[in-house]
Amino acid sequence: MLPPATEPKMIFRVFSFLYFLSRPLLKWLLHRFTNLCELQRICYGCPPGATRTKKVQMSLELSRRLPIKKLLHILNELVSNDVDETFLRREIQTRAVGTVLQVKKINPKVHIDFPRSFGSCAERIWGYKRLFFMVEKLRATQYDTEEPEHEAKLLLLWKLLVGDEMVLTGRITDQWQHIGFQGDDPSTDFRGMGVLGLDNLLFLVQNYNGTARHLLSHSHHPTHGYFFAIVGINLTSMAYHLLKSGSARTHFYNHPQHHLTVDTFHQFYCYLFYEFDRYWVECKPKNIMDFNHIQRRFEDNILKLLANDGCCFKMNLSVEDV
């Protein structure tokens, strides 16, 4: 007998196999009865945001039509290269909409709303992929002590978090442990996440300074404290992997800002940091050794929220600097 945990997985796999086997026939029947292609049915029948965009993306990726496959390849290549953002957005709109109208033989004069609806989905799909490309570049850029910009950002992080309360006596000093780094030289803590970890922390401190100082004070609790900077870098890793795996699509596909930027990712990170701190305090850990266990539970909770197609995270206004 199969263990209980494997039974739902097996049922899902069988269902998925049967669905993909019968999918061409189902599409043909629905097209025959509705006189609409699958993309039209999705754009007309699904609410905007993650629900519609995910289904459009799946339809495009499962398409057997050569022009559609070529479109995906071209746009995936474009978003993964250093090209002008205005040019990129125009290419996504014109190529995606133009190709689908031609392949599916859709008359835009008859189906007036379709180009706008589908174009919005295309912008979100490849905007997300573009965002990952930009975030990955930051993650792959290692912190360099010989790079003045990196050093300036690190010193600014200290200044904005600590202010005049404590004067930094040197670049290599155990004072960095006051804001949660592990040793005397914080540059070594950025190895895993590169300058992305630093940029995340700096964005939080610059844009939500009161909140950041509040979180830092929590990290100094004698019993339930944690390493502020190290936890922040761990949350950068969590945010990065949610983005990479596609789990974060729900949040970004529902985001009111259609044109995603690195700042949009930083906002996502700020939400995770604030909510993790709240969860950590609620859990009342015995010591820092509980961190891995609590972080896993926190990530599971975030994944459950992201499984809802209506999910879109926002910082609580009560803690924003407004």
Side-chain angles (χ1 to χ4, degrees):
M1 183 179 289
L2 289 171
T6 62
E7 287 180 7
K9 291 182 181 178
M10 184 63 71
I11 294 170
F12 176 77
R13 286 174 183 171
V14 171
F15 176 81
S16 297
F17 174 76
L18 292 175
Y19 169 74
F20 289 117
L21 197 66
S22 60
R23 187 171 181 274
L25 177 61
L26 288 172
K27 284 179 64 180
W28 181 82
L29 288 171
L30 288 169
H31 186 273
R32 192 70 184 268
F33 284 113
T34 64
N35 205 30
L36 298 171
C37 71
E38 183 178 51
L39 288 171
Q40 287 175 293
R41 294 194 299 272
I42 293 170
C43 289
Y44 295 154
C46 296
T51 303
R52 180 185 296 172
T53 307
K54 283 182 178 181
K55 289 187 177 181
V56 165
Q57 184 173 1
M58 178 179 285
S59 178
L60 290 172
E61 291 175 350
L62 292 177
S63 177
R64 298 178 180 180
R65 305 293 292 273
L66 190 60
I68 300 292
K69 289 178 177 289
K70 186 177 178 181
L71 168 72
L72 300 187
H73 175 74
I74 291 171
L75 293 183
N76 287 343
E77 283 292 312
L78 273 176
V79 297
S80 301
N81 285 282
D82 291 312
V83 295
D84 178 72
E85 292 296 319
T86 303
F87 166 78
L88 179 62
R89 293 174 69 186
R90 186 170 60 246
E91 277 293 290
I92 291 171
Q93 282 284 338
T94 55
R95 278 188 181 272
V97 174
T99 300
V100 167
L101 290 178
Q102 184 179 21
V103 171
K104 301 296 182 181
K105 296 180 172 61
I106 299 170
N107 187 342
K109 293 181 180 179
V110 176
H111 299 280
I112 300 171
D113 294 330
F114 177 77
R116 176 186 53 80
S117 177
F118 173 75
S120 176
C121 291
E123 187 176 355
R124 290 186 180 278
I125 291 166
W126 278 282
Y128 183 90
K129 294 184 179 188
R130 179 64 171 179
L131 176 61
F132 176 72
F133 168 74
M134 293 186 291
V135 167
E136 173 61 23
K137 277 184 68 177
L138 291 173
R139 188 204 65 80
T141 303
Q142 288 299 304
Y143 186 99
D144 184 357
T145 55
E146 300 299 319
E147 174 57 58
E149 184 183 358
H150 295 178
E151 289 287 282
K153 285 182 178 181
L154 183 60
L155 293 174
L156 181 59
L157 178 68
W158 172 274
K159 181 179 178 181
L160 292 175
L161 261 180
V162 182
D164 298 326
E165 296 173 20
M166 186 188 302
V167 178
L168 198 62
T169 58
R171 171 60 180 78
I172 308 296
T173 170
D174 62 2
Q175 287 177 300
W176 290 108
Q177 295 171 33
H178 178 74
I179 60 173
F181 287 103
Q182 291 185 106
D184 297 351
D185 184 0
S187 67
T188 60
D189 292 327
F190 294 116
R191 286 172 184 160
M193 286 291 110
V195 297
L196 180 64
L198 175 58
D199 284 355
N200 272 169
L201 283 168
L202 190 56
F203 184 91
L204 171 67
V205 173
Q206 285 180 315
N207 292 273
Y208 304 102
N209 189 261
T211 300
R213 286 170 172 260
H214 183 67
L215 300 181
L216 181 63
S217 69
H218 279 182
S219 74
H220 291 157
H221 191 280
T223 307
H224 311 311
Y226 55 85
F227 297 109
F228 176 86
I230 295 301
V231 166
I233 295 168
N234 272 276
L235 291 172
T236 292
S237 176
M238 175 181 163
Y240 167 79
H241 285 101
L242 288 172
L243 186 73
K244 183 179 181 180
S245 69
S247 299
R249 286 185 307 162
T250 309
H251 166 74
F252 290 104
Y253 284 176
N254 285 326
H255 201 279
Q257 183 179 330
H258 273 244
H259 180 51
L260 302 178
T261 66
V262 173
D263 280 359
T264 321
F265 178 78
H266 290 327
Q267 289 279 359
F268 177 58
Y269 166 83
C270 290
Y271 172 86
L272 292 178
F273 203 145
Y274 175 74
E275 288 299 319
F276 176 80
D277 175 82
R278 186 176 61 81
Y279 186 67
W280 176 270
V281 172
E282 285 178 0
C283 289
K284 292 183 170 57
K286 295 177 182 178
N287 52 55
I288 194 63
M289 299 304 292
D290 290 339
F291 175 77
N292 289 335
H293 173 63
I294 291 175
Q295 188 190 22
R296 280 195 298 269
R297 282 164 49 190
F298 174 72
E299 186 169 357
D300 287 343
N301 291 342
I302 293 296
L303 285 168
K304 286 176 185 176
L305 291 173
L306 288 169
N308 179 355
D309 279 347
C311 173
C312 184
F313 298 134
K314 189 182 186 301
M315 285 283 281
N316 188 329
L317 284 174
S318 64
V319 299
E320 287 187 357
D321 294 323
V322 295

